[in-house]
CSV table of all heavy atoms in Angstrom, one decimal:
chain,number,residue,atom,x,y,z
V,1,MET,N,9.5,-4.2,-3.7
V,1,MET,CA,10.1,-3.3,-2.8
V,1,MET,C,9.2,-2.1,-2.5
V,1,MET,O,8.7,-1.4,-3.3
V,1,MET,CB,11.4,-2.7,-3.5
V,1,MET,CG,12.5,-2.3,-2.7
V,1,MET,SD,12.8,-3.0,-1.1
V,1,MET,CE,13.7,-1.7,-0.4
V,2,VAL,N,8.9,-1.9,-1.2
V,2,VAL,CA,8.1,-0.8,-0.8
V,2,VAL,C,8.7,0.5,-1.1
V,2,VAL,O,9.9,0.7,-0.9
V,2,VAL,CB,7.8,-1.0,0.8
V,2,VAL,CG1,7.2,0.3,1.3
V,2,VAL,CG2,6.9,-2.2,1.0
V,3,LYS,N,8.0,1.4,-1.6
V,3,LYS,CA,8.5,2.7,-1.9
V,3,LYS,C,8.2,3.7,-0.8
V,3,LYS,O,7.1,3.8,-0.3
V,3,LYS,CB,7.8,3.2,-3.2
V,3,LYS,CG,8.6,2.9,-4.4
V,3,LYS,CD,8.0,3.7,-5.6
V,3,LYS,CE,6.6,3.2,-5.9
V,3,LYS,NZ,6.1,3.6,-7.2
V,4,LYS,N,9.2,4.5,-0.5
V,4,LYS,CA,9.0,5.6,0.5
V,4,LYS,C,8.6,6.8,-0.3
V,4,LYS,O,9.3,7.2,-1.2
V,4,LYS,CB,10.3,5.8,1.3
V,4,LYS,CG,10.1,6.4,2.6
V,4,LYS,CD,11.4,6.4,3.4
V,4,LYS,CE,11.3,7.3,4.6
V,4,LYS,NZ,12.6,7.4,5.2
V,5,SER,N,7.6,7.5,0.2
V,5,SER,CA,7.1,8.6,-0.6
V,5,SER,C,6.6,9.7,0.3
V,5,SER,O,6.0,9.4,1.3
V,5,SER,CB,6.0,8.1,-1.6
V,5,SER,OG,5.6,9.2,-2.4
V,6,LYS,N,6.7,10.9,-0.2
V,6,LYS,CA,6.1,12.0,0.6
V,6,LYS,C,4.9,12.5,-0.1
V,6,LYS,O,4.9,13.0,-1.2
V,6,LYS,CB,7.1,13.2,0.7
V,6,LYS,CG,8.1,12.9,1.8
V,6,LYS,CD,8.7,14.2,2.4
V,6,LYS,CE,9.4,13.8,3.7
V,6,LYS,NZ,10.3,14.9,4.1
V,7,ILE,N,3.8,12.4,0.6
V,7,ILE,CA,2.5,12.8,0.1
V,7,ILE,C,1.8,13.7,1.1
V,7,ILE,O,1.7,13.4,2.3
V,7,ILE,CB,1.6,11.6,-0.2
V,7,ILE,CG1,2.2,10.8,-1.4
V,7,ILE,CG2,0.2,12.0,-0.6
V,7,ILE,CD1,1.7,9.4,-1.5
V,8,LYS,N,1.4,14.9,0.6
V,8,LYS,CA,0.9,15.8,1.5
V,8,LYS,C,1.7,16.0,2.8
V,8,LYS,O,1.2,16.0,3.9
V,8,LYS,CB,-0.6,15.4,1.9
V,8,LYS,CG,-1.5,15.5,0.7
V,8,LYS,CD,-2.9,15.1,1.1
V,8,LYS,CE,-3.8,15.0,-0.1
V,8,LYS,NZ,-5.0,14.2,0.2
V,9,ARG,N,3.0,16.2,2.6
V,9,ARG,CA,3.9,16.4,3.7
V,9,ARG,C,4.1,15.3,4.7
V,9,ARG,O,4.7,15.4,5.7
V,9,ARG,CB,3.6,17.7,4.4
V,9,ARG,CG,3.7,18.9,3.6
V,9,ARG,CD,3.3,20.1,4.4
V,9,ARG,NE,3.6,21.3,3.7
V,9,ARG,CZ,3.5,22.5,4.3
V,9,ARG,NH1,3.0,22.5,5.6
V,9,ARG,NH2,3.8,23.6,3.7
V,10,LYS,N,3.5,14.1,4.4
V,10,LYS,CA,3.7,13.0,5.2
V,10,LYS,C,4.5,12.0,4.5
V,10,LYS,O,4.4,11.8,3.3
V,10,LYS,CB,2.3,12.4,5.5
V,10,LYS,CG,1.6,13.1,6.6
V,10,LYS,CD,0.3,12.3,6.7
V,10,LYS,CE,-0.4,12.5,8.0
V,10,LYS,NZ,-1.7,11.8,8.0
V,11,THR,N,5.4,11.3,5.3
V,11,THR,CA,6.1,10.2,4.7
V,11,THR,C,5.2,9.0,4.7
V,11,THR,O,4.8,8.6,5.8
V,11,THR,CB,7.4,10.0,5.5
V,11,THR,OG1,8.2,11.2,5.4
V,11,THR,CG2,8.2,8.8,4.8
V,12,LEU,N,5.0,8.4,3.6
V,12,LEU,CA,4.2,7.2,3.5
V,12,LEU,C,5.0,6.1,2.8
V,12,LEU,O,5.9,6.4,2.1
V,12,LEU,CB,2.9,7.5,2.7
V,12,LEU,CG,1.9,8.5,3.3
V,12,LEU,CD1,0.8,8.6,2.3
V,12,LEU,CD2,1.5,8.0,4.7
V,13,PHE,N,4.5,4.9,3.1
V,13,PHE,CA,5.2,3.7,2.4
V,13,PHE,C,4.1,3.1,1.5
V,13,PHE,O,3.0,2.8,1.9
V,13,PHE,CB,5.6,2.7,3.5
V,13,PHE,CG,6.7,3.3,4.4
V,13,PHE,CD1,6.3,3.8,5.6
V,13,PHE,CD2,8.0,3.2,4.0
V,13,PHE,CE1,7.3,4.4,6.4
V,13,PHE,CE2,9.0,3.8,4.8
V,13,PHE,CZ,8.6,4.4,6.0
V,14,LEU,N,4.5,3.0,0.2
V,14,LEU,CA,3.6,2.6,-0.8
V,14,LEU,C,3.8,1.2,-1.2
V,14,LEU,O,5.0,0.8,-1.5
V,14,LEU,CB,3.7,3.5,-2.0
V,14,LEU,CG,3.5,5.0,-1.8
V,14,LEU,CD1,3.6,5.7,-3.2
V,14,LEU,CD2,2.2,5.3,-1.2
V,15,CYS,N,2.8,0.4,-1.3
V,15,CYS,CA,2.8,-0.9,-1.9
V,15,CYS,C,3.1,-0.7,-3.4
V,15,CYS,O,2.3,0.0,-4.1
V,15,CYS,CB,1.5,-1.6,-1.7
V,15,CYS,SG,1.3,-3.1,-2.6
V,16,GLU,N,4.1,-1.4,-3.9
V,16,GLU,CA,4.4,-1.2,-5.4
V,16,GLU,C,3.4,-1.9,-6.3
V,16,GLU,O,3.2,-1.6,-7.4
V,16,GLU,CB,5.8,-1.7,-5.7
V,16,GLU,CG,6.8,-0.6,-5.6
V,16,GLU,CD,8.0,-0.9,-6.4
V,16,GLU,OE1,8.3,-2.1,-6.7
V,16,GLU,OE2,8.7,0.0,-6.8
V,17,GLU,N,2.7,-2.9,-5.7
V,17,GLU,CA,1.7,-3.6,-6.5
V,17,GLU,C,0.4,-2.9,-6.7
V,17,GLU,O,-0.1,-2.8,-7.8
V,17,GLU,CB,1.5,-5.0,-5.9
V,17,GLU,CG,2.7,-5.9,-5.8
V,17,GLU,CD,3.1,-6.3,-7.2
V,17,GLU,OE1,2.3,-6.7,-8.0
V,17,GLU,OE2,4.4,-6.2,-7.5
V,18,CYS,N,-0.2,-2.4,-5.6
V,18,CYS,CA,-1.5,-1.8,-5.7
V,18,CYS,C,-1.4,-0.3,-5.6
V,18,CYS,O,-2.3,0.4,-5.9
V,18,CYS,CB,-2.4,-2.4,-4.8
V,18,CYS,SG,-2.1,-2.1,-3.0
V,19,GLY,N,-0.3,0.2,-5.0
V,19,GLY,CA,-0.1,1.7,-4.9
V,19,GLY,C,-0.7,2.3,-3.6
V,19,GLY,O,-0.6,3.5,-3.4
V,20,LEU,N,-1.3,1.5,-2.8
V,20,LEU,CA,-1.8,2.0,-1.6
V,20,LEU,C,-0.7,2.5,-0.6
V,20,LEU,O,0.3,1.9,-0.6
V,20,LEU,CB,-2.7,1.0,-0.8
V,20,LEU,CG,-4.0,0.6,-1.5
V,20,LEU,CD1,-4.8,-0.4,-0.7
V,20,LEU,CD2,-4.9,1.8,-1.8
V,21,GLY,N,-1.0,3.5,0.1
V,21,GLY,CA,0.0,4.1,1.0
V,21,GLY,C,-0.3,3.8,2.5
V,21,GLY,O,-1.4,3.9,2.9
V,22,TYR,N,0.8,3.5,3.2
V,22,TYR,CA,0.6,3.2,4.6
V,22,TYR,C,1.6,4.0,5.5
V,22,TYR,O,2.6,4.4,5.0
V,22,TYR,CB,0.9,1.7,4.9
V,22,TYR,CG,0.0,0.8,4.1
V,22,TYR,CD1,0.2,0.4,2.9
V,22,TYR,CD2,-1.2,0.4,4.7
V,22,TYR,CE1,-0.6,-0.4,2.2
V,22,TYR,CE2,-2.1,-0.4,4.0
V,22,TYR,CZ,-1.8,-0.8,2.7
V,22,TYR,OH,-2.7,-1.6,2.1
V,23,VAL,N,1.2,4.2,6.7
V,23,VAL,CA,2.1,5.1,7.6
V,23,VAL,C,3.3,4.3,8.0
V,23,VAL,O,4.3,4.9,8.4
V,23,VAL,CB,1.4,5.6,8.8
V,23,VAL,CG1,0.4,6.7,8.3
V,23,VAL,CG2,0.7,4.6,9.6
V,24,ASP,N,3.2,3.0,8.0
V,24,ASP,CA,4.4,2.2,8.4
V,24,ASP,C,4.8,1.2,7.4
V,24,ASP,O,4.0,0.7,6.6
V,24,ASP,CB,4.2,1.5,9.8
V,24,ASP,CG,3.1,0.4,9.6
V,24,ASP,OD1,1.9,0.9,9.3
V,24,ASP,OD2,3.3,-0.7,9.8
V,25,ARG,N,6.1,1.0,7.3
V,25,ARG,CA,6.7,0.1,6.3
V,25,ARG,C,6.2,-1.3,6.4
V,25,ARG,O,6.0,-2.0,5.4
V,25,ARG,CB,8.2,0.2,6.4
V,25,ARG,CG,9.0,-0.6,5.4
V,25,ARG,CD,10.4,-0.6,5.6
V,25,ARG,NE,11.1,0.7,5.4
V,25,ARG,CZ,11.5,1.1,4.2
V,25,ARG,NH1,11.4,0.4,3.2
V,25,ARG,NH2,12.1,2.3,4.2
V,26,GLU,N,6.0,-1.8,7.7
V,26,GLU,CA,5.6,-3.1,7.9
V,26,GLU,C,4.3,-3.5,7.2
V,26,GLU,O,4.2,-4.5,6.5
V,26,GLU,CB,5.4,-3.4,9.4
V,26,GLU,CG,6.4,-4.3,10.0
V,26,GLU,CD,6.4,-4.3,11.5
V,26,GLU,OE1,5.3,-4.6,12.0
V,26,GLU,OE2,7.4,-3.9,12.1
V,27,THR,N,3.3,-2.6,7.3
V,27,THR,CA,2.0,-2.8,6.7
V,27,THR,C,2.1,-2.7,5.2
V,27,THR,O,1.5,-3.5,4.5
V,27,THR,CB,1.0,-1.8,7.3
V,27,THR,OG1,1.1,-1.8,8.7
V,27,THR,CG2,-0.4,-2.2,6.9
V,28,ALA,N,2.9,-1.8,4.7
V,28,ALA,CA,3.1,-1.7,3.3
V,28,ALA,C,3.7,-3.0,2.7
V,28,ALA,O,3.3,-3.5,1.7
V,28,ALA,CB,3.9,-0.5,2.9
V,29,GLN,N,4.7,-3.5,3.5
V,29,GLN,CA,5.3,-4.7,3.0
V,29,GLN,C,4.4,-5.9,3.1
V,29,GLN,O,4.3,-6.7,2.1
V,29,GLN,CB,6.5,-5.0,3.9
V,29,GLN,CG,7.4,-6.1,3.5
V,29,GLN,CD,8.1,-5.8,2.1
V,29,GLN,OE1,8.8,-4.9,2.0
V,29,GLN,NE2,7.7,-6.6,1.1
V,30,MET,N,3.5,-5.9,4.1
V,30,MET,CA,2.5,-7.0,4.2
V,30,MET,C,1.6,-6.9,3.0
V,30,MET,O,1.2,-7.9,2.4
V,30,MET,CB,1.7,-6.8,5.4
V,30,MET,CG,2.1,-7.7,6.6
V,30,MET,SD,1.4,-7.2,8.2
V,30,MET,CE,-0.3,-7.1,7.8
V,31,CYS,N,1.2,-5.7,2.6
V,31,CYS,CA,0.3,-5.5,1.5
V,31,CYS,C,0.9,-5.9,0.2
V,31,CYS,O,0.3,-6.7,-0.6
V,31,CYS,CB,-0.1,-4.0,1.4
V,31,CYS,SG,-1.2,-3.6,0.1
V,32,GLU,N,2.2,-5.6,0.1
V,32,GLU,CA,2.9,-5.9,-1.2
V,32,GLU,C,3.1,-7.4,-1.3
V,32,GLU,O,2.8,-8.0,-2.4
V,32,GLU,CB,4.2,-5.2,-1.2
V,32,GLU,CG,4.8,-5.2,-2.6
V,32,GLU,CD,6.1,-4.3,-2.6
V,32,GLU,OE1,6.0,-3.1,-2.4
V,32,GLU,OE2,7.1,-4.9,-2.8
V,33,ASP,N,3.4,-8.1,-0.2
V,33,ASP,CA,3.5,-9.5,-0.2
V,33,ASP,C,2.2,-10.2,-0.6
V,33,ASP,O,2.1,-11.1,-1.4
V,33,ASP,CB,4.0,-10.1,1.2
V,33,ASP,CG,5.4,-9.7,1.5
V,33,ASP,OD1,6.1,-9.3,0.5
V,33,ASP,OD2,5.8,-9.8,2.6
V,34,TRP,N,1.1,-9.7,0.0
V,34,TRP,CA,-0.2,-10.2,-0.2
V,34,TRP,C,-0.6,-10.0,-1.7
V,34,TRP,O,-1.1,-10.9,-2.4
V,34,TRP,CB,-1.2,-9.5,0.7
V,34,TRP,CG,-2.6,-10.1,0.5
V,34,TRP,CD1,-3.5,-9.7,-0.4
V,34,TRP,CD2,-3.2,-11.1,1.3
V,34,TRP,NE1,-4.6,-10.5,-0.3
V,34,TRP,CE2,-4.5,-11.3,0.8
V,34,TRP,CE3,-2.7,-11.8,2.5
V,34,TRP,CZ2,-5.3,-12.3,1.4
V,34,TRP,CZ3,-3.6,-12.8,3.0
V,34,TRP,CH2,-4.9,-13.0,2.5
V,35,CYS,N,-0.4,-8.8,-2.2
V,35,CYS,CA,-0.8,-8.4,-3.6
V,35,CYS,C,0.0,-9.3,-4.5
V,35,CYS,O,-0.6,-9.8,-5.5
V,35,CYS,CB,-0.4,-7.0,-3.9
V,35,CYS,SG,-1.5,-5.8,-3.0
V,36,ARG,N,1.2,-9.5,-4.3
V,36,ARG,CA,2.0,-10.3,-5.2
V,36,ARG,C,1.6,-11.8,-5.2
V,36,ARG,O,1.5,-12.4,-6.2
V,36,ARG,CB,3.5,-10.2,-4.7
V,36,ARG,CG,4.5,-10.4,-5.8
V,36,ARG,CD,5.8,-9.8,-5.5
V,36,ARG,NE,5.9,-8.4,-5.9
V,36,ARG,CZ,6.8,-7.5,-5.4
V,36,ARG,NH1,7.7,-7.9,-4.5
V,36,ARG,NH2,6.8,-6.3,-5.8
V,37,LYS,N,1.2,-12.3,-4.0
V,37,LYS,CA,0.9,-13.7,-3.9
V,37,LYS,C,-0.5,-14.0,-4.5
V,37,LYS,O,-0.8,-15.0,-5.1
V,37,LYS,CB,0.9,-14.1,-2.4
V,37,LYS,CG,2.0,-15.0,-2.1
V,37,LYS,CD,1.9,-15.5,-0.7
V,37,LYS,CE,2.5,-14.5,0.3
V,37,LYS,NZ,2.3,-14.8,1.7
V,38,THR,N,-1.4,-13.0,-4.2
V,38,THR,CA,-2.8,-13.3,-4.5
V,38,THR,C,-3.4,-12.5,-5.6
V,38,THR,O,-4.5,-12.8,-6.1
V,38,THR,CB,-3.7,-13.1,-3.3
V,38,THR,OG1,-3.7,-11.7,-3.0
V,38,THR,CG2,-3.2,-13.8,-2.1
V,39,ALA,N,-2.7,-11.4,-6.0
V,39,ALA,CA,-3.2,-10.5,-7.1
V,39,ALA,C,-4.6,-9.9,-6.7
V,39,ALA,O,-5.4,-9.5,-7.5
V,39,ALA,CB,-3.3,-11.2,-8.4
V,40,THR,N,-4.9,-9.9,-5.4
V,40,THR,CA,-6.0,-9.2,-4.9
V,40,THR,C,-5.6,-8.4,-3.7
V,40,THR,O,-4.5,-8.6,-3.2
V,40,THR,CB,-7.1,-10.2,-4.4
V,40,THR,OG1,-6.6,-11.0,-3.4
V,40,THR,CG2,-7.7,-11.1,-5.6
V,41,CYS,N,-6.5,-7.7,-3.1
V,41,CYS,CA,-6.2,-6.9,-1.9
V,41,CYS,C,-6.9,-7.5,-0.7
V,41,CYS,O,-8.0,-8.0,-0.8
V,41,CYS,CB,-6.5,-5.5,-2.1
V,41,CYS,SG,-5.3,-4.6,-3.0
V,42,SER,N,-6.2,-7.6,0.4
V,42,SER,CA,-6.8,-8.1,1.6
V,42,SER,C,-7.5,-6.9,2.3
V,42,SER,O,-6.8,-5.9,2.6
V,42,SER,CB,-5.7,-8.7,2.5
V,42,SER,OG,-6.2,-8.7,3.8
V,43,LEU,N,-8.7,-7.0,2.6
V,43,LEU,CA,-9.4,-5.9,3.3
V,43,LEU,C,-8.8,-5.6,4.7
V,43,LEU,O,-8.7,-4.5,5.1
V,43,LEU,CB,-10.9,-6.3,3.5
V,43,LEU,CG,-11.9,-5.9,2.4
V,43,LEU,CD1,-13.3,-6.2,2.9
V,43,LEU,CD2,-11.7,-4.4,2.2
V,44,GLU,N,-8.4,-6.7,5.3
V,44,GLU,CA,-7.7,-6.5,6.6
V,44,GLU,C,-6.5,-5.6,6.5
V,44,GLU,O,-6.2,-4.8,7.4
V,44,GLU,CB,-7.2,-7.9,7.1
V,44,GLU,CG,-8.2,-8.7,7.8
V,44,GLU,CD,-8.8,-8.0,9.0
V,44,GLU,OE1,-8.0,-7.8,9.9
V,44,GLU,OE2,-10.0,-7.7,9.0
V,45,ILE,N,-5.8,-5.7,5.4
V,45,ILE,CA,-4.6,-4.8,5.2
V,45,ILE,C,-5.0,-3.5,4.6
V,45,ILE,O,-4.6,-2.4,5.1
V,45,ILE,CB,-3.6,-5.5,4.3
V,45,ILE,CG1,-3.2,-6.9,5.0
V,45,ILE,CG2,-2.4,-4.6,4.1
V,45,ILE,CD1,-2.3,-7.7,4.1
V,46,THR,N,-5.9,-3.5,3.6
V,46,THR,CA,-6.1,-2.2,2.9
V,46,THR,C,-7.0,-1.3,3.8
V,46,THR,O,-6.9,-0.1,3.5
V,46,THR,CB,-6.9,-2.5,1.6
V,46,THR,OG1,-8.1,-3.2,1.8
V,46,THR,CG2,-6.0,-3.3,0.6
V,47,LYS,N,-7.6,-1.7,4.7
V,47,LYS,CA,-8.4,-0.8,5.6
V,47,LYS,C,-7.4,0.1,6.4
V,47,LYS,O,-7.8,1.1,6.9
V,47,LYS,CB,-9.4,-1.5,6.5
V,47,LYS,CG,-8.8,-2.3,7.6
V,47,LYS,CD,-9.9,-3.0,8.4
V,47,LYS,CE,-9.2,-3.8,9.6
V,47,LYS,NZ,-10.2,-4.7,10.2
V,48,LYS,N,-6.2,-0.3,6.5
V,48,LYS,CA,-5.2,0.5,7.2
V,48,LYS,C,-4.5,1.5,6.2
V,48,LYS,O,-3.7,2.3,6.7
V,48,LYS,CB,-4.1,-0.4,7.7
V,48,LYS,CG,-4.6,-1.3,8.8
V,48,LYS,CD,-3.4,-2.1,9.4
V,48,LYS,CE,-3.9,-3.3,10.2
V,48,LYS,NZ,-2.8,-4.3,10.4
V,49,ALA,N,-4.9,1.4,5.0
V,49,ALA,CA,-4.2,2.3,4.0
V,49,ALA,C,-4.7,3.8,4.3
V,49,ALA,O,-5.9,4.0,4.6
V,49,ALA,CB,-4.6,1.9,2.6
V,50,VAL,N,-3.7,4.7,4.2
V,50,VAL,CA,-4.1,6.1,4.4
V,50,VAL,C,-4.1,6.9,3.1
V,50,VAL,O,-4.5,8.0,3.1
V,50,VAL,CB,-3.2,6.8,5.5
V,50,VAL,CG1,-3.4,6.2,6.8
V,50,VAL,CG2,-1.7,6.6,5.0
V,51,TYR,N,-3.6,6.2,2.1
V,51,TYR,CA,-3.5,6.9,0.8
V,51,TYR,C,-4.0,5.9,-0.3
V,51,TYR,O,-3.5,4.8,-0.4
V,51,TYR,CB,-2.1,7.3,0.5
V,51,TYR,CG,-1.9,7.9,-0.9
V,51,TYR,CD1,-2.4,9.1,-1.2
V,51,TYR,CD2,-1.3,7.1,-1.8
V,51,TYR,CE1,-2.3,9.6,-2.5
V,51,TYR,CE2,-1.1,7.6,-3.2
V,51,TYR,CZ,-1.6,8.8,-3.5
V,51,TYR,OH,-1.5,9.3,-4.8
V,52,LYS,N,-5.0,6.4,-1.0
V,52,LYS,CA,-5.5,5.5,-2.1
V,52,LYS,C,-5.4,6.2,-3.4
V,52,LYS,O,-6.0,7.3,-3.6
V,52,LYS,CB,-7.0,5.1,-1.8
V,52,LYS,CG,-7.0,4.2,-0.6
V,52,LYS,CD,-8.5,3.8,-0.3
V,52,LYS,CE,-8.4,3.0,1.0
V,52,LYS,NZ,-9.6,2.8,1.7
V,53,PRO,N,-4.6,5.7,-4.3
V,53,PRO,CA,-4.5,6.3,-5.6
V,53,PRO,C,-5.7,5.9,-6.4
V,53,PRO,O,-6.7,5.4,-5.9
V,53,PRO,CB,-3.2,5.6,-6.2
V,53,PRO,CG,-3.2,4.3,-5.6
V,53,PRO,CD,-3.8,4.5,-4.2
V,54,ASN,N,-5.7,6.2,-7.7
V,54,ASN,CA,-6.8,5.9,-8.6
V,54,ASN,C,-7.1,4.4,-8.5
V,54,ASN,O,-6.3,3.6,-9.0
V,54,ASN,CB,-6.4,6.3,-10.0
V,54,ASN,CG,-7.5,6.1,-10.9
V,54,ASN,OD1,-8.6,5.6,-10.6
V,54,ASN,ND2,-7.3,6.4,-12.2
V,55,LEU,N,-8.2,4.0,-7.9
V,55,LEU,CA,-8.4,2.6,-7.7
V,55,LEU,C,-8.7,1.8,-8.9
V,55,LEU,O,-8.7,0.6,-8.9
V,55,LEU,CB,-9.6,2.5,-6.7
V,55,LEU,CG,-9.2,2.8,-5.2
V,55,LEU,CD1,-10.4,2.7,-4.3
V,55,LEU,CD2,-8.1,1.9,-4.7
V,56,SER,N,-9.0,2.5,-10.0
V,56,SER,CA,-9.3,1.8,-11.2
V,56,SER,C,-8.1,1.0,-11.7
V,56,SER,O,-8.2,0.1,-12.4
V,56,SER,CB,-9.8,2.7,-12.3
V,56,SER,OG,-8.7,3.6,-12.7
V,57,ALA,N,-6.9,1.4,-11.2
V,57,ALA,CA,-5.7,0.7,-11.6
V,57,ALA,C,-5.7,-0.7,-11.1
V,57,ALA,O,-5.1,-1.6,-11.7
V,57,ALA,CB,-4.5,1.4,-11.0
V,58,LEU,N,-6.5,-0.9,-10.0
V,58,LEU,CA,-6.6,-2.3,-9.5
V,58,LEU,C,-7.4,-3.2,-10.4
V,58,LEU,O,-7.2,-4.4,-10.3
V,58,LEU,CB,-7.3,-2.2,-8.1
V,58,LEU,CG,-6.6,-1.5,-7.0
V,58,LEU,CD1,-7.4,-1.5,-5.7
V,58,LEU,CD2,-5.3,-2.3,-6.7
V,59,GLU,N,-8.2,-2.7,-11.2
V,59,GLU,CA,-9.0,-3.6,-12.0
V,59,GLU,C,-8.3,-4.0,-13.3
V,59,GLU,O,-8.8,-4.8,-14.0
V,59,GLU,CB,-10.3,-2.8,-12.4
V,59,GLU,CG,-11.2,-2.7,-11.2
V,59,GLU,CD,-12.2,-1.5,-11.3
V,59,GLU,OE1,-12.4,-1.1,-12.5
V,59,GLU,OE2,-12.7,-1.1,-10.3
V,60,SER,N,-7.3,-3.4,-13.6
V,60,SER,CA,-6.6,-3.8,-14.9
V,60,SER,C,-5.9,-5.1,-14.9
V,60,SER,O,-5.6,-5.6,-13.8
V,60,SER,CB,-5.7,-2.7,-15.4
V,60,SER,OG,-4.7,-2.5,-14.4
P,101,ZN,ZN1,-0.8,-3.8,-2.2
């Protein structure tokens, strides 16, 4: 489930799998579906991310 979150006064949609934030829910949902299916990130999708949490979390 994509999380809606306010970061730096902007409403962002966060992928629950990788934590990347997007300005629109659709892209966040795409990312989450992708992450869940492949356990990797799609560059096509993640390049649209506007918020990146601690990326080391992706390596665990
Ligand atoms: Zn993701």
Side-chain angles (χ1 to χ4, degrees):
M1 205 30 206
V2 168
K3 266 191 293 194
K4 203 172 167 190
S5 182
K6 280 207 167 163
I7 292 165
K8 292 181 190 161
R9 294 178 169 187
K10 280 178 158 175
T11 300
L12 295 179
F13 297 94
L14 303 182
C15 167
E16 268 204 337
E17 295 294 312
C18 67
L20 291 181
Y22 300 89
V23 289
D24 64 300
R25 183 186 292 273
E26 250 167 59
T27 312
Q29 189 63 63
M30 258 164 56
C31 182
E32 200 173 291
D33 290 345
W34 184 278
C35 289
R36 207 158 270 163
K37 252 187 277 177
T38 66
T40 60
C41 278
S42 161
L43 268 185
E44 278 301 297
I45 300 173
T46 58
K47 72 182 179 191
K48 295 184 194 162
V50 293
Y51 172 74
K52 293 179 183 163
N54 184 0
L55 287 177
S56 66
L58 292 176
E59 288 158 18
S60 60

